[in-house]
Amino acid sequence: MSKSAFLLLIMWVVLIKISSAQNTLSYAAGNKNNETVSSLKTDPVFNFNAFSCDYALEKITKEMAGGHLFGDVIAKKMFLLDKKYTSEEANSPGNPQTITVIQKPEIYNAVKHIDKALKKSVRKGELSAESATYTLNKVLDVALSILTLDTRSFETAISTAKSDSEKMDLFTKRVNLIY
């Protein structure tokens, strides 16, 4: 009996040591993985299925779109942005006043702020008109393409952006449109 008890005690000690060694190994490996992940942390990239809005732009006349500092194409896209993102609804039955409802206000307001910031930069001479046109064109393409998609995480990223330049980078560098 004492031999079997002694063998059980030795097996129990060996099993405890093995499991302890495994826990130590997993703990050490877990720390290395956490350090690697935190040192390689990058901002998320958003992938959206997109479509070309050229067919819709052809139907918009210059009189409808008006003028824009960056040209007729940008003016047409801004008109299309306003047309698609905003709608007028009756305030109450019988009341002639209407309320402007904005779909996805985070995206719409971000585009409007970017437009204003780019115009200001061009007027001050900080940015060329060509590069501002390219940037605003990219921002408008993204905004027009993602209207009907699920963009909750993208809207959260917009709301956490602190400046207009961060919002521009978000639209131009962290969004991939898949045509």
Side-chain angles (χ1 to χ4, degrees):
M1 183 78 175
S2 71
K3 275 187 174 181
S4 62
F6 180 70
L7 285 174
L8 283 174
L9 179 65
I10 288 178
M11 286 177 48
W12 182 70
V13 169
V14 169
L15 288 174
I16 289 175
K17 288 290 187 183
I18 290 172
S19 69
S20 174
Q22 291 295 324
N23 289 340
T24 305
L25 180 62
S26 66
Y27 178 73
N31 286 343
K32 288 180 184 176
N33 287 342
N34 288 342
E35 290 172 8
T36 306
V37 170
S38 65
S39 65
L40 297 176
K41 184 180 176 186
T42 58
D43 293 329
V45 174
F46 303 96
N47 294 313
F48 296 113
N49 292 327
F51 60 91
S52 177
C53 62
D54 293 338
Y55 68 94
L57 294 177
E58 293 172 359
K59 297 176 183 176
I60 301 171
T61 64
K62 188 173 181 175
E63 291 77 30
M64 291 168 61
H68 196 277
L69 181 65
F70 303 132
D72 291 338
V73 174
I74 298 295
K76 288 180 179 183
K77 286 186 179 183
M78 290 297 288
F79 176 79
L80 194 58
L81 179 85
D82 287 336
K83 183 177 175 185
K84 289 190 176 224
Y85 273 82
T86 62
S87 62
E88 298 288 326
E89 292 184 4
N91 192 7
S92 61
N95 190 349
Q97 292 180 337
T98 58
I99 299 172
T100 302
V101 178
I102 300 173
Q103 290 184 36
K104 301 189 181 189
E106 285 289 333
I107 296 171
Y108 180 79
N109 292 331
V111 172
K112 291 294 192 175
H113 284 280
I114 290 169
D115 178 40
K116 190 183 291 186
L118 287 172
K119 285 179 182 178
K120 187 176 181 180
S121 294
V122 168
R123 286 189 182 124
K124 286 185 174 182
E126 299 169 349
L127 193 62
S128 69
E130 293 81 23
S131 63
T133 303
Y134 176 79
T135 302
L136 188 57
N137 192 32
K138 172 75 173 165
V139 168
L140 287 168
D141 285 342
V142 169
L144 291 171
S145 296
I146 64 175
L147 176 64
T148 59
L149 303 176
D150 180 20
T151 57
R152 284 177 276 182
S153 59
F154 182 64
E155 290 177 49
T156 303
I158 290 172
S159 64
T160 59
K162 295 176 179 77
S163 66
D164 290 333
S165 63
E166 287 181 16
K167 291 177 185 177
M168 276 186 258
D169 289 342
L170 182 64
F171 275 92
T172 58
K173 295 179 182 171
R174 291 178 42 202
V175 172
N176 293 327
L177 294 178
I178 302 166
Y179 290 97

